[in-house]
Amino acid sequence: METKVVAVLNEMAEYLSVAQMKKLQEVLLKAFTITEAEKRDISNIDYLKLFLKAKRIEGCSERTIQYYRTTIDKMLGVVNDPIRKMTTERMREYLVDYQQINNCSKVTVDNVRRNISSFFSWLEEENYILKSPMRRIHKIKTNQQVKEIISDEDIEKMRDNCSCKRDLAMIDLLYSTGIRVGELVSLNISDIDFNARECVVFGKGGKERKVYFDAKSKLHIQNYINSRDDSNPALFVTLDAPHDRLRISGVEIRLRQMGRKLDLQRIFPHKFRRTTATRAIDKGMPIEQVQKLLGHSQIDTTMQYAIVNQNNVKTSHQKFIS
């Protein structure tokens, strides 16, 4: 293969400029690489397996990898063409049909688009395909809705109606730190520094950061730990023996049940995170520090929280304009 490439380059050297020669070499090498891939006759499912392995090595969580697997596997089950022959038109048709069949929102379809786009972009980077068919399918525009947060009154209602010390400590820690639910259930008792009122969490991609909790959270966490008689190192465990580490689904179910019992509007873990961020922004915390607190790699993600609550905009308008 290398001999053929060199022969072609030598033949064209007198007709092309240096820049053109470099481009020709790049195209030839890519073409021959794809030819080798074709010889191996990799199936669509094998491509998916290779992609998921790469994502696992990059540090993606098992939950994220499962989301990739489900989304892409569903697409491959509908679009039967070989990976290398899939076109932009066919992928656009798939997304349109997906939205109509599932009657889902633009946000959901865009999440599907993003996952499939990541898959094809990886295939392109690895030289399995020449060009991703998703390149010309851009982000789906969605209406920016004002997302709800948990009011101070509702937080107090949940605190007053907690049936056990674990739930009280869990609510206060979520509300005080703004951590993700995955970070919450991964915490060990040894991760907590009560003197400094801080703990170390590992966010997306295994990124380590410190988060901070208030005095109320400290007391409730200590009360919960002192009430336990198990030896599990996890900070939060199930209420029943053998007291296993609490899972994400366990937190979600518990908060949902509590919200319904108190007739509160949709209570789930991420709502606590959004509430903490909104409170910080409303009280004047610089957006860069909120980004650090939440563990966002891109400040654009943090900026989404800046438009959650319009109370700060109204207050500023009354102060500076009215």
Side-chain angles (χ1 to χ4, degrees):
M1 181 179 67
E2 291 181 3
T3 304
K4 291 180 180 180
V5 171
V6 172
V8 172
L9 292 174
N10 288 337
E11 186 71 24
M12 298 299 296
E14 60 180 301
Y15 304 105
L16 303 176
S17 66
V18 174
Q20 290 171 329
M21 285 290 291
K22 287 183 178 180
K23 184 62 179 178
L24 177 60
Q25 181 180 1
E26 177 186 330
V27 172
L28 287 172
L29 289 173
K30 183 175 288 188
F32 277 115
T33 302
I34 293 170
T35 301
E36 292 299 316
E38 290 175 348
K39 287 180 181 178
R40 283 180 278 162
D41 194 25
I42 302 176
S43 69
N44 289 357
I45 296 300
D46 288 334
Y47 279 124
L48 175 56
K49 290 178 180 177
L50 290 170
F51 170 71
L52 296 177
K53 286 180 181 178
K55 288 300 172 184
R56 185 171 282 109
I57 292 172
E58 289 175 11
C60 290
S61 68
E62 286 303 317
R63 200 179 193 191
T64 299
I65 290 172
Q66 181 59 35
Y67 190 28
Y68 276 125
R69 179 186 291 110
T70 303
T71 305
I72 299 167
D73 189 53
K74 190 171 185 178
M75 181 272 292
L76 294 177
V78 175
V79 184
N80 297 318
D81 303 331
I83 287 289
R84 294 185 298 276
K85 295 183 179 180
M86 290 186 184
T87 64
T88 299
E89 291 72 21
R90 184 67 185 91
M91 297 313 303
R92 190 175 283 124
E93 179 184 337
Y94 170 76
L95 291 174
V96 171
D97 291 343
Y98 184 96
Q99 184 174 23
Q100 291 177 346
I101 293 171
N102 296 282
N103 192 28
C104 52
S105 66
K106 290 181 179 180
V107 174
T108 300
V109 177
D110 193 58
N111 288 337
V112 172
R113 177 205 62 80
R114 189 172 63 248
N115 282 358
I116 296 174
S117 182
S118 295
F119 174 55
F120 281 108
S121 294
W122 179 84
L123 290 172
E124 181 181 339
E125 290 171 2
E126 295 294 317
N127 292 327
Y128 287 117
I129 59 176
L130 277 174
K131 181 181 178 181
S132 167
M134 299 297 291
R135 272 198 193 183
R136 290 185 284 119
I137 303 179
H138 304 297
K139 185 182 188 305
I140 299 171
K141 293 182 179 179
T142 57
N143 296 327
Q144 184 66 56
Q145 297 180 339
V146 177
K147 296 180 180 179
E148 295 179 348
I149 61 173
I150 307 173
S151 68
D152 294 340
E153 291 81 2
D154 288 345
I155 287 290
E156 289 305 320
K157 282 182 182 179
M158 283 187 281
R159 282 177 174 146
D160 291 342
N161 287 273
C162 280
S163 57
C164 63
K165 294 180 180 180
R166 184 202 66 179
D167 290 354
L168 183 57
M170 188 168 66
I171 286 172
D172 271 335
L173 191 60
L174 283 171
Y175 186 63
S176 182
T177 61
I179 57 177
R180 301 178 178 93
V181 63
E183 296 167 346
L184 177 85
V185 298
S186 296
L187 277 171
N188 291 323
I189 297 174
S190 59
D191 295 326
I192 309 295
D193 183 341
F194 287 107
N195 291 328
R197 293 214 304 259
E198 63 185 32
C199 55
V200 175
V201 297
F202 293 89
K204 292 184 177 181
K207 296 177 182 176
E208 178 182 327
R209 76 179 190 283
K210 285 184 178 181
V211 294
Y212 311 96
F213 50 89
D214 56 22
K216 187 179 293 186
S217 299
K218 173 183 175 179
L219 292 176
H220 290 157
I221 294 170
Q222 286 178 325
N223 289 339
Y224 163 59
I225 292 174
N226 292 334
S227 70
R228 284 170 51 180
D229 56 6
D230 62 90
S231 58
N232 196 317
L235 177 59
F236 293 106
V237 297
T238 58
L239 297 177
D240 299 324
H243 302 295
D244 296 322
R245 180 183 294 271
L246 192 63
R247 297 183 179 183
I248 291 175
S249 58
V251 179
E252 292 172 338
I253 292 171
R254 194 70 171 180
L255 292 178
R256 192 185 309 125
Q257 290 174 340
M258 190 179 301
R260 288 174 179 172
K261 178 182 176 182
L262 299 174
D263 197 25
L264 303 179
Q265 186 70 27
R266 292 191 66 225
I267 301 298
F268 51 92
H270 195 76
K271 201 168 188 178
F272 284 84
R273 181 169 167 83
R274 190 186 302 146
T275 301
T276 302
T278 302
R279 288 170 58 225
I281 292 168
D282 284 347
K283 292 183 178 181
M285 179 182 282
I287 195 70
E288 295 82 6
Q289 293 182 18
V290 179
Q291 178 190 4
K292 188 78 173 177
L293 179 70
L294 298 179
H296 289 153
S297 57
Q298 301 292 330
I299 199 166
D300 289 348
T301 307
T302 314
M303 286 299 294
Q304 295 177 15
Y305 293 92
I307 59 174
V308 170
N309 195 329
Q310 291 298 308
N311 289 338
N312 53 344
V313 179
K314 182 177 180 180
T315 302
S316 297
H317 180 273
Q318 293 172 342
K319 180 178 179 180
F320 298 106
I321 300 176
S322 299

